Amino acid sequence: LLQKAMSLSRQAFAAEEEIDGEIYVGGTLNILEQPEFSNNIEKMKAIFKAFEEKSNLIRILDRCIEGKGLSILIGAESEVEEMQDCSIVAHTYMYKNQAVGTLGILGPRRMEYPRIIAIVDYIAKAVSRILTGN
Protein backbone atom coordinates (compact mmCIF):
# COMPACT_ATOMS: atom_id res chain seq x y z
CA LEU A 1 0.00 0.00 0.00
CA LEU A 2 2.84 2.37 0.86
CA GLN A 3 4.58 1.63 -2.45
CA LYS A 4 1.37 2.24 -4.38
CA ALA A 5 0.75 5.52 -2.54
CA MET A 6 4.30 6.70 -3.23
CA SER A 7 3.94 5.72 -6.89
CA LEU A 8 0.69 7.67 -7.17
CA SER A 9 2.23 10.72 -5.52
CA ARG A 10 5.21 10.59 -7.92
CA GLN A 11 2.82 10.40 -10.88
CA ALA A 12 0.80 13.32 -9.56
CA PHE A 13 3.89 15.52 -9.18
CA ALA A 14 5.41 14.41 -12.48
CA ALA A 15 2.65 16.15 -14.44
CA GLU A 16 4.03 19.03 -16.45
CA GLU A 17 1.12 21.37 -15.99
CA GLU A 18 0.09 22.89 -12.70
CA ILE A 19 -2.99 21.27 -11.19
CA ASP A 20 -5.11 23.76 -9.29
CA GLY A 21 -8.37 22.61 -7.75
CA GLU A 22 -8.17 19.24 -9.45
CA ILE A 23 -8.13 15.77 -8.03
CA TYR A 24 -6.26 12.62 -8.91
CA VAL A 25 -8.05 9.36 -8.10
CA GLY A 26 -6.22 6.06 -8.32
CA GLY A 27 -6.90 2.52 -7.26
CA THR A 28 -10.68 2.81 -7.41
CA LEU A 29 -11.06 -0.78 -8.51
CA ASN A 30 -9.53 -1.91 -5.21
CA ILE A 31 -12.87 -1.11 -3.56
CA LEU A 32 -14.30 -4.11 -5.42
CA GLU A 33 -12.11 -6.40 -3.31
CA GLN A 34 -13.84 -5.30 -0.12
CA PRO A 35 -16.60 -7.74 0.92
CA GLU A 36 -19.07 -5.05 1.98
CA PHE A 37 -19.03 -3.65 -1.55
CA SER A 38 -18.35 -6.66 -3.78
CA ASN A 39 -21.58 -8.37 -2.72
CA ASN A 40 -23.80 -5.33 -3.24
CA ILE A 41 -23.98 -3.96 -6.77
CA GLU A 42 -26.11 -0.97 -5.77
CA LYS A 43 -23.51 0.16 -3.19
CA MET A 44 -20.77 -0.22 -5.77
CA LYS A 45 -22.71 1.83 -8.32
CA ALA A 46 -23.29 4.57 -5.75
CA ILE A 47 -19.62 4.71 -4.77
CA PHE A 48 -18.42 4.81 -8.37
CA LYS A 49 -20.96 7.52 -9.09
CA ALA A 50 -19.48 9.53 -6.21
CA PHE A 51 -15.99 9.00 -7.69
CA GLU A 52 -17.18 10.24 -11.08
CA GLU A 53 -18.58 13.40 -9.49
CA LYS A 54 -15.17 14.64 -8.50
CA SER A 55 -16.68 17.87 -7.19
CA ASN A 56 -17.89 15.86 -4.17
CA LEU A 57 -14.36 14.62 -3.50
CA ILE A 58 -12.90 18.09 -4.00
CA ARG A 59 -15.42 19.52 -1.53
CA ILE A 60 -14.46 16.86 1.05
CA LEU A 61 -10.73 17.42 0.57
CA ASP A 62 -11.19 21.20 0.66
CA ARG A 63 -12.77 20.78 4.10
CA CYS A 64 -9.75 18.72 5.13
CA ILE A 65 -7.28 21.33 3.86
CA GLU A 66 -9.04 24.03 5.90
CA GLY A 67 -8.42 21.97 9.03
CA LYS A 68 -4.71 21.58 8.19
CA GLY A 69 -3.13 18.31 9.25
CA LEU A 70 -4.86 14.98 9.68
CA SER A 71 -8.59 14.55 9.04
CA ILE A 72 -10.65 11.42 9.53
CA LEU A 73 -14.17 11.30 8.14
CA ILE A 74 -16.19 8.21 8.99
CA GLY A 75 -19.38 7.36 7.15
CA ALA A 76 -21.89 10.20 6.98
CA GLU A 77 -19.28 12.73 8.20
CA SER A 78 -18.19 13.08 4.56
CA GLU A 79 -21.63 14.58 3.82
CA VAL A 80 -21.80 12.56 0.57
CA GLU A 81 -24.68 10.12 0.77
CA GLU A 82 -23.15 7.59 -1.61
CA MET A 83 -20.07 7.34 0.61
CA GLN A 84 -21.76 6.67 3.94
CA ASP A 85 -20.27 3.16 4.05
CA CYS A 86 -16.76 4.55 3.56
CA SER A 87 -14.18 6.40 5.59
CA ILE A 88 -11.56 8.86 4.49
CA VAL A 89 -8.21 9.43 6.14
CA ALA A 90 -6.65 12.57 4.70
CA HIS A 91 -3.70 14.82 5.49
CA THR A 92 -2.69 18.18 4.07
CA TYR A 93 0.74 18.71 2.61
CA MET A 94 2.57 21.98 2.95
CA TYR A 95 4.77 24.35 1.01
CA LYS A 96 6.50 27.00 3.10
CA ASN A 97 4.10 26.59 6.04
CA GLN A 98 1.01 26.86 3.84
CA ALA A 99 -1.32 23.96 3.07
CA VAL A 100 -1.33 23.49 -0.70
CA GLY A 101 -3.08 20.16 -1.10
CA THR A 102 -4.55 17.11 0.54
CA LEU A 103 -3.92 13.45 0.00
CA GLY A 104 -5.97 10.66 1.43
CA ILE A 105 -7.15 7.09 1.40
CA LEU A 106 -10.77 6.15 1.04
CA GLY A 107 -11.86 2.72 2.19
CA PRO A 108 -14.49 0.81 4.10
CA ARG A 109 -15.48 2.06 7.55
CA ARG A 110 -13.79 -0.98 9.10
CA MET A 111 -10.33 -0.07 7.74
CA GLU A 112 -7.23 -0.44 9.92
CA TYR A 113 -7.19 3.16 11.12
CA PRO A 114 -3.82 3.13 12.98
CA ARG A 115 -2.03 1.69 9.94
CA ILE A 116 -3.76 3.94 7.38
CA ILE A 117 -3.22 7.04 9.55
CA ALA A 118 0.50 6.24 9.81
CA ILE A 119 0.81 5.77 6.03
CA VAL A 120 -1.09 8.95 5.13
CA ASP A 121 0.81 10.97 7.76
CA TYR A 122 4.17 9.69 6.52
CA ILE A 123 3.43 10.36 2.85
CA ALA A 124 2.00 13.85 3.50
CA LYS A 125 5.09 14.78 5.49
CA ALA A 126 7.37 13.33 2.80
CA VAL A 127 5.58 15.34 0.10
CA SER A 128 5.87 18.47 2.26
CA ARG A 129 9.60 17.87 2.68
CA ILE A 130 10.04 17.38 -1.07
CA LEU A 131 8.09 20.55 -1.89
CA THR A 132 10.03 22.67 0.57
CA GLY A 133 13.39 21.14 -0.34
CA ASN A 134 14.18 19.75 3.11
Side-chain angles (χ1 to χ4, degrees):
L1 184 61
L2 178 59
Q3 289 175 343
K4 184 165 183 119
M6 290 300 290
S7 173
L8 291 173
S9 65
R10 276 194 294 275
Q11 289 174 9
F13 288 109
E16 291 181 20
E17 54 187 86
E18 184 178 328
I19 298 174
D20 187 26
E22 291 190 28
I23 188 166
Y24 175 81
V25 178
T28 55
L29 292 179
N30 292 331
I31 203 86
L32 296 175
E33 297 174 8
Q34 304 306 314
E36 55 267 81
F37 304 117
S38 64
N39 298 326
N40 188 325
I41 293 183
E42 291 307 313
K43 274 187 186 178
M44 285 186 337
K45 284 182 183 178
I47 290 170
F48 283 112
K49 181 181 177 199
F51 288 158
E52 286 178 4
E53 295 176 19
K54 291 184 180 179
S55 62
N56 285 332
L57 297 175
I58 290 172
R59 191 177 68 234
I60 291 168
L61 295 175
D62 279 348
R63 280 187 22 220
C64 294
I65 203 170
E66 290 170 7
K68 292 186 182 177
L70 182 71
S71 297
I72 302 170
L73 303 173
I74 300 172
E77 292 176 355
S78 71
E79 298 179 0
V80 176
E81 183 179 337
E82 296 88 0
M83 295 173 54
Q84 63 184 322
D85 292 318
C86 300
S87 292
I88 299 169
V89 176
H91 199 299
T92 55
Y93 52 91
M94 314 289 279
Y95 175 71
K96 296 185 179 180
N97 295 323
Q98 182 170 343
V100 292
T102 305
L103 59 89
I105 295 177
L106 180 136
R109 286 188 305 195
R110 61 163 178 78
M111 72 169 82
E112 284 183 61
Y113 289 95
R115 181 171 173 249
I116 300 299
I117 289 168
I119 290 169
V120 170
D121 182 61
Y122 176 81
I123 294 172
K125 288 178 179 173
V127 169
S128 295
R129 282 192 304 273
I130 290 167
L131 291 175
T132 57
N134 292 333

